[in-house]
Amino acid sequence: MAKIYSEELRAQVLEFLAAGGRPVEAIRRFGVKRAIVYVWRKQAKAGRKKPLPKGRKRRNDVVDAAELTDYVEAHPRLNTAEIGEYFGVDGATIRARLRQVDYTSKGGLRPSFLVEERVAKIR
């Protein structure tokens, strides 16, 4: 698992490098991995002094829920990959967004309450 370094340490390493310190010296002095020093230096040269936020990036908010449900109702036989092509995202994003708006893919895409009604009729 990757070690997480503090922003303060990152700032100290970048300050040391900006003052003319060598990356090898920074590795020894601050106890960071070799690769991370070079990554930080490259990012600093590109203008990024702070790390990117951690965590998985979700694109579910890219697809509007109302537009998605309207499209699914208009095209009930399409699979999630085909729907994803229309919205410019992958099928996994469509599946995640459909779960959020309470749709299921059992027997074709439909609101989960319809599936529950069908199951209740069978029982």
Side-chain angles (χ1 to χ4, degrees), residues 15-96:
E15 187 176 307
F16 177 79
L17 293 174
R22 293 183 14 222
V24 175
E25 294 172 26
I27 293 165
R28 286 191 204 117
R29 180 177 289 187
F30 297 104
V32 296
K33 295 193 178 223
R34 179 180 183 273
I36 199 69
V37 171
Y38 288 100
V39 168
W40 286 349
R41 186 174 74 170
K42 182 179 179 181
Q43 289 173 348
K45 284 181 181 179
R48 187 173 53 194
K49 302 282 184 184
K50 290 191 172 192
L52 293 173
K54 295 290 181 192
R56 186 173 162 206
K57 296 176 185 168
R58 299 198 182 267
R59 295 198 49 200
N60 293 344
D61 58 339
V62 172
V63 180
D64 181 51
E67 187 179 351
L68 177 61
T69 55
D70 290 343
Y71 188 78
V72 168
E73 288 171 5
H75 305 89
R77 293 289 174 211
L78 294 181
N79 62 34
T80 54
E82 293 167 336
I83 296 169
E85 286 178 19
Y86 175 79
F87 287 100
V89 295
D90 62 357
T93 301
I94 295 296
R95 280 190 298 279

